[in-house]
Amino acid sequence: MDRELARTENRLSVGGIKLSPELVLFKYSRRIHQPCALLSALRTLSRQQINIFFLSQSLYAEKSSVTTNFCTLPEYTDTTLAALTGMKPAGKNITTHSTVGALSIYPHKHNFSLLGKVLSTLVGDGLPINGLCTSVSALSILTDFSQYDAALSALAKVLDLPDNHSPFRQEFRIRQISP
């Protein structure tokens, strides 16, 4: 069998990979039957034009709990914590993890083998996975920001990028302002 064909069969083609800037991960946990107080905090962040880069929610039936994870830029940590601690009922079940980043793979085209291959590759190389979410257009994985280069090296073993893929990191930062 042709070596190039064998190499391609074991690899998956994707449209691109993007790396977010450094982020802070916030985790809000509550009991299943307890009302979610997070909506008011998220509205506060929205009014202050603080972007949420990652948002996911997990239900743990065996623990009867729900955990919501989301990320903002580090410069908004104090503002975000203030919004979270001001929640009613009080948001005492909040933890933070600084210096994470969202590694997004585009497009994954509903390819479940991609999910398995990416996760097994990252875990096999000892890279942390702090969160995961998927949409129609992207598979996003939270990992330690300092591990981006190691994650890209690991993924290069199993993924093929197009020759003309865009840069991994955003080259400039956009901030929305009110008119």
Side-chain angles (χ1 to χ4, degrees):
M1 184 188 311
D2 180 33
R3 286 184 103 177
E4 186 62 29
L5 180 60
R7 185 178 85 83
T8 307
E9 285 179 4
N10 294 328
R11 300 169 61 82
L12 294 172
S13 293
V14 296
I17 296 175
K18 283 289 190 190
L19 303 175
S20 75
E22 183 176 350
L23 303 170
V24 176
L25 171 62
F26 297 89
K27 291 184 177 190
Y28 165 64
S29 298
R30 65 180 174 87
R31 307 298 295 167
I32 288 175
H33 302 294
Q34 185 181 29
C36 181
L38 192 58
L39 188 57
S40 64
L42 294 177
R43 282 187 183 132
T44 299
L45 297 179
S46 175
R47 279 192 300 274
Q48 295 180 23
Q49 297 180 341
I50 296 174
N51 191 27
I52 294 175
F53 282 79
F54 180 95
L55 176 67
S56 69
Q57 189 170 59
S58 302
L59 171 67
Y60 303 99
E62 68 279 355
K63 295 180 182 178
S64 298
S65 67
V66 176
T67 299
T68 304
N69 298 315
F70 69 94
C71 296
T72 65
L73 292 170
E75 59 259 34
Y76 300 117
T77 300
D78 292 340
T79 305
T80 303
L81 284 173
L84 291 170
T85 54
M87 295 184 314
K88 303 285 187 246
K92 60 184 174 207
N93 297 328
I94 298 163
T95 58
T96 62
H97 181 75
S98 57
T99 67
V100 300
L103 184 151
S104 297
I105 301 170
Y106 302 92
H108 69 14
K109 300 178 186 172
H110 302 287
N111 186 342
F112 290 113
S113 62
L114 175 69
L115 175 63
K117 190 166 280 220
V118 166
L119 292 177
S120 64
T121 299
L122 294 175
V123 170
D125 278 26
L127 297 164
I129 296 175
N130 300 312
L132 167 76
C133 69
T134 185
S135 69
V136 174
S137 63
L139 167 64
S140 295
I141 298 166
L142 289 182
T143 191
D144 289 353
F145 185 76
S146 64
Q147 296 295 313
Y148 268 167
D149 290 333
L152 288 172
S153 293
L155 293 174
K157 298 179 224 172
V158 297
L159 300 179
D160 284 326
L161 291 166
D163 291 335
N164 64 345
H165 73 86
S166 58
F168 292 125
R169 290 175 175 84
Q170 188 172 329
E171 295 175 344
F172 52 89
R173 191 152 154 206
I174 298 172
R175 172 132 166 79
Q176 181 179 347
I177 57 173
S178 297

